[in-house]
Amino acid sequence: MLKDNLLKDIEGVEVELNKDLSKFSTMRLKAYGDLITVGSVEALSSVLKKLKESKIEFIVLGMGANQLLKRESSLPYLMIKFPFDKNSLNEKKEIYTLPASVRLSVLTSHASKFALKGWEVFTGVPATLGGAIFMNAGTGLGEIGELVTKVWLMNSNGESRFVEINKDSFSYRKNNFVEAGEVIYQVEMKHFGEDSEVTEVIRKYLGRRNATQPMKEKTCGCVFKNSNFDGLPCPAGKFVDIIGLKGLQVGGIRISDIHGNFMENCDDATYDDVVALINIVQREMKLQFGVDFELEVKAK
C-alpha cells in the first residue's frame, strides 16, 4: 500500500488513498484501492522510479473494461491521464501519434467522420488505446495490431524506449513486446486510406453489437478467449450456450442471457463472485468438451 506522502513532491500526480473504485471498471465491481493518476510523461517517469525504489508493484488501470478489480487491492492502481486535444482530430492525417489514454470511442468517431479504412476493427470496444494495444483488442472485423506502427514504453527505472511494430509483434489477444513492469504511454497508428463504406460499416457493426451483446449492462466485455473444438474455431459464447449455462448466477454476477461470453453485474457483484462463476464455466467446459477456456479478462 502507498504512504500518503510518497509521491507528494511530484508535479502532475494525484494520489487518492483507499478510493472507491467501483466507477473505474465497466463491470462496476465493489472495489477499493490506492489510485495514482499521472498527467505527463515526466511525472510518469518520476512515479515509476519512486515506486521501484520503495519496492511497490502496481497495476495499470485504463477504462477497467477488461479488468476485474478486487474488493481490496494490496497493489496501487496507476492511471495515465495525459492531456489530449480533440481538435487534433479535426482533420485526416496519414500517421497519428496519440497518448495511450485516448479512448477508442473517440478514434472510432474520427474514423467514421473521415472514412478511415482499417479503423473500423475496434468499433464498439470499450478501452483506452494503451489497453487495447496491450491485449491486441479486436472484433470480428479485425485486430488493432494491424494498425499500430510504433509504441513508446517506460520501464520501472523511468526510462523510455520505443518499439517498431512488425508481423511478430502481436498474437491473438496479446502483444509480444511489452516487458514486465513496462507501461505503454504513446502510440503511432496508421490507416489504409479512405473508403466511403467505412462509415456505414461502423454504423451497422455498432447496431449488431447492441442487438447481440448486453451493451447496456455492467460487464467487462468478453470473459474468455475464443477456442477450438475438434480443430475448428468455435466462439466461447457458443460453447457456454450449448451446455446451457446462460442465466447462471453466483452472488451478484450472472452469465448474460443475450451472449454466453458476457457476465453481468446484476446485484453489487464482487471480484470473488466473478472468479467463482468463471471457475464453474471453466470446469464444465473441461468436463464436457475437454476444452481449456483461457481468460481474456485480466483477473489478477
Side-chain angles (χ1 to χ4, degrees), residues 109-249:
S109 296
H110 181 71
S112 180
K113 180 178 180 179
F114 291 99
L116 300 186
K117 188 176 181 180
W119 284 30
E120 71 276 8
V121 303
F122 48 75
T123 299
V125 176
T128 60
L129 181 57
I133 288 172
F134 185 85
M135 66 165 289
N136 191 20
T139 63
L141 301 173
E143 299 174 327
I144 196 169
E146 304 164 7
L147 304 165
V148 181
T149 54
K150 188 182 295 185
V151 176
W152 284 261
L153 307 108
M154 190 172 289
N155 64 22
S156 58
N157 293 318
E159 300 165 340
S160 297
R161 73 180 179 101
F162 67 85
V163 176
E164 298 277 3
I165 300 303
N166 58 48
K167 62 181 180 61
D168 299 316
S169 296
F170 292 98
S171 304
Y172 176 64
R173 294 297 178 266
K174 65 177 292 188
N175 74 83
N176 301 319
F177 55 87
V178 180
E179 299 178 359
E182 286 189 322
V183 176
I184 297 172
Y185 70 87
Q186 187 170 274
V187 179
E188 184 181 89
M189 286 177 59
K190 64 181 179 180
H191 55 82
F192 303 119
E194 296 180 45
D195 184 339
S196 59
E197 296 183 3
V198 166
T199 302
E200 184 66 9
V201 169
I202 290 174
R203 188 189 69 79
K204 286 184 176 180
Y205 197 79
L206 282 173
R208 186 159 67 251
R209 285 180 73 103
N210 283 318
T212 60
Q213 299 176 6
M215 302 300 289
K216 295 181 180 180
E217 304 300 327
K218 293 176 285 189
T219 79
C220 62
C222 288
V223 175
F224 302 101
K225 294 181 180 181
N226 290 329
S227 190
N228 291 281
F229 182 63
D230 284 345
L232 298 174
C234 187
K238 184 172 289 187
F239 273 122
V240 174
D241 194 11
I242 289 172
I243 60 177
L245 291 182
K246 280 185 175 180
L248 180 65
Q249 183 169 337

Side-chain angles (χ1 to χ4, degrees), residues 7 19 28 30 40-41 101 117 121 124 127 142 146 149 191 205-207 231 237 245 256 260 267 287 290 292 298:
L7 307 174
K19 184 175 179 62
R28 299 295 192 262
K30 286 184 176 179
S40 70
V41 176
S101 53
K117 188 176 181 180
V121 303
E146 304 164 7
T149 54
H191 55 82
Y205 197 79
L206 282 173
L245 291 182
S256 172
D267 187 17
L287 285 172
D292 292 310
K298 291 190 290 183

Side-chain angles (χ1 to χ4, degrees), residues 13 23 30 48 52 54 59 64 71 88 124 130 136 151 169 192 198 200 212 238 241 245 257 262-263 273 291-292 299:
V13 175
K23 294 182 180 180
K30 286 184 176 179
L48 293 181
K52 183 176 182 181
S54 302
I59 300 170
R71 183 187 288 270
S88 66
N136 191 20
V151 176
S169 296
F192 303 119
V198 166
E200 184 66 9
T212 60
K238 184 172 289 187
D241 194 11
L245 291 182
D257 289 322
F262 284 73
M263 294 182 181
D273 293 340
V291 174
D292 292 310

